[in-house]
Amino acid sequence: MEQPLTPRVDQPLKRRGERPLKRRSEQQVKPSQTQQKTQEPLPSPAVVPVPEPRPTDAQKADTSKTEGGQKTEAPGSGAAGRFNEEKSHQKKQARPDPSANTEAEPEPPAVAPTPPQKPDTAEPEVQPPAIAPQPPQKPADAGDKKMLPDPRSAALPDAKMPEEEVACRERLKTLGVEFEEHKAESNPEIGCSIPYPIVLKSLGKSIAIAPGTELNCPMAEVAARFAANVIQPAAKADFGADLKSINQASAFVCRPRNGTRKLSEHAFGNALDIASFTLSDGKKIDVGATPPEKDAKFLNAVRKAACGPFKTVLGPGADPDHALHFHLDLEPRRHGGTFCQ
């Protein structure tokens, strides 16, 4: 089949009115071809927009190229090249993209999903308390708790000293005890009271006591008799020397018993703590947990003998509060009993 005449690119096309078209009688027509169409130049892609074919229309686009078995070509090689390039571009767009199969693999979202934020578990900033914390309160030692009632707390001095107090002082003078009268001591808030106190200077003619020891008169009398009748003979027997003085650790003190709400016997001038003994030859015997053997014999004898004249006797081993002294008092007990440790 002969090719149609193609006008030269460098010659401008003339309008149909100026030059008649030649008949194509010399072209052979195939048997299946019933009608010869006149080839019209296709519009330039730049002028007419070509819609993007769907994937299913790709084969239709190929079959539409020919009609009756004959291909149509655009006049001029330049127009035909642009047209072929546009068709190639359309075929590429018409091909299905394997990645478009959303059933096989879902497309990633345009924006990566942000995982939900975890609840804020950080500890809130601890704010300082509006009021400064107070130190824990001590037990009854601090005096901030009301003491248990004691009938002796209500004792107050009379305008005239009672006869028993006068008689007690006369007995002290007979024993050679030096003492001074002292004004009454009372503390209604805590409950301490000693209406007729005296301050001892000695426990006899040759036994001093220091520092100044404030006691009630009955306690002073028992202490003086115990020093003269028990401590003095024990010192002479064990060391061959007389008892010269007693070093006391506590007498009248307005306080409760350690760790309790019960008033101490010291709060009524009814107790005496002895820390050491001094002999006439200068030897000092300290009360302690592990004294020398000879000192321990003397101390044990004094401690054992004190249980009877005194109603309470405590010392090393009884509790930590009495590890370095003897505690002697006249606390009234039922049936006149004693408590000695």
Side-chain angles (χ1 to χ4, degrees):
M1 181 179 63
E2 294 183 2
Q3 299 292 333
L5 294 178
T6 305
R8 294 181 61 182
V9 177
D10 55 350
Q11 294 181 359
L13 295 176
K14 294 183 179 182
R15 300 181 179 178
R16 291 184 178 180
E18 296 179 358
R19 194 177 69 178
L21 296 175
K22 294 181 181 183
R23 296 182 180 180
R24 296 181 181 178
S25 58
E26 62 272 15
Q27 293 182 354
Q28 297 180 359
V29 180
K30 293 183 180 181
S32 62
Q33 189 174 13
T34 59
Q35 184 178 358
Q36 181 68 33
K37 292 185 178 181
T38 303
Q39 184 176 0
E40 294 292 339
L42 296 175
S44 175
V47 177
V48 181
V50 180
E52 296 182 2
R54 293 179 295 177
T56 56
D57 297 338
Q59 295 180 356
K60 293 182 180 180
D62 293 339
T63 56
S64 63
K65 293 178 183 179
T66 59
E67 184 176 350
Q70 184 177 0
K71 296 181 179 179
T72 57
E73 295 180 0
S77 59
R82 288 192 302 272
F83 180 73
N84 292 334
E85 182 180 355
E86 182 65 24
K87 286 200 302 179
S88 176
H89 177 69
Q90 293 177 2
K91 287 181 179 181
K92 291 181 179 179
Q93 290 182 349
R95 292 178 183 177
D97 189 357
S99 63
N101 189 0
T102 58
E103 295 181 357
E105 181 179 357
E107 290 185 359
V111 180
T114 303
Q117 294 184 356
K118 295 182 179 180
D120 190 7
T121 57
E123 293 290 338
E125 184 178 356
V126 179
Q127 299 295 332
I131 301 176
Q134 300 296 324
Q137 295 182 354
K138 294 182 180 180
D141 291 348
D144 53 353
K145 291 184 179 181
K146 189 175 181 180
M147 296 297 101
L148 296 175
D150 191 303
R152 295 173 293 176
S153 299
L156 295 174
D158 295 333
K160 183 180 179 181
M161 185 178 292
E163 292 183 2
E164 61 270 19
E165 289 291 336
V166 175
C168 179
R169 284 159 172 77
E170 293 296 329
R171 292 190 295 269
L172 289 179
K173 294 177 182 178
T174 303
L175 294 172
V177 176
E178 297 180 8
F179 63 91
E180 292 179 357
E181 297 289 346
H182 198 273
K183 66 179 181 179
E185 300 275 6
S186 178
N187 188 325
E189 183 178 354
I190 299 177
C192 308
S193 179
I194 178 172
Y196 305 104
I198 59 174
V199 178
L200 296 177
K201 300 298 183 179
S202 73
L203 291 175
K205 295 179 180 179
S206 61
I207 304 172
I209 186 169
T213 306
E214 184 176 2
L215 296 172
N216 62 42
C217 191
M219 179 64 190
E221 182 180 359
V222 174
R225 294 185 183 277
F226 182 73
N229 299 332
V230 176
I231 302 176
Q232 181 70 279
K236 191 73 173 178
D238 292 341
F239 300 102
D242 293 330
L243 176 64
K244 181 179 180 180
S245 65
I246 292 177
N247 179 31
Q248 62 93 3
S250 179
F252 171 75
V253 180
C254 187
R255 66 172 177 83
R257 291 182 181 179
N258 291 335
T260 71
R261 295 173 54 204
K262 186 175 182 180
L263 286 166
S264 170
E265 289 300 303
H266 288 283
F268 304 103
N270 206 37
L272 175 67
D273 292 345
I274 299 176
S276 64
F277 305 91
T278 303
L279 305 182
S280 57
D281 60 1
K283 179 178 176 60
K284 185 178 181 181
I285 304 170
D286 293 321
V287 179
T290 57
E293 183 178 358
K294 196 171 184 179
D295 294 359
K297 181 183 176 182
F298 168 79
L299 293 173
N300 290 336
V302 171
R303 184 174 182 176
K304 185 177 179 180
C307 188
F310 299 98
K311 302 305 179 180
T312 305
V313 178
L314 300 173
D319 54 53
D321 293 331
H322 300 93
L324 300 176
H325 66 267
F326 288 150
H327 171 86
L328 312 173
D329 70 45
L330 293 178
E331 180 182 4
R333 296 182 181 275
R334 292 180 181 179
H335 311 295
T338 59
F339 181 79
C340 303
Q341 284 186 345

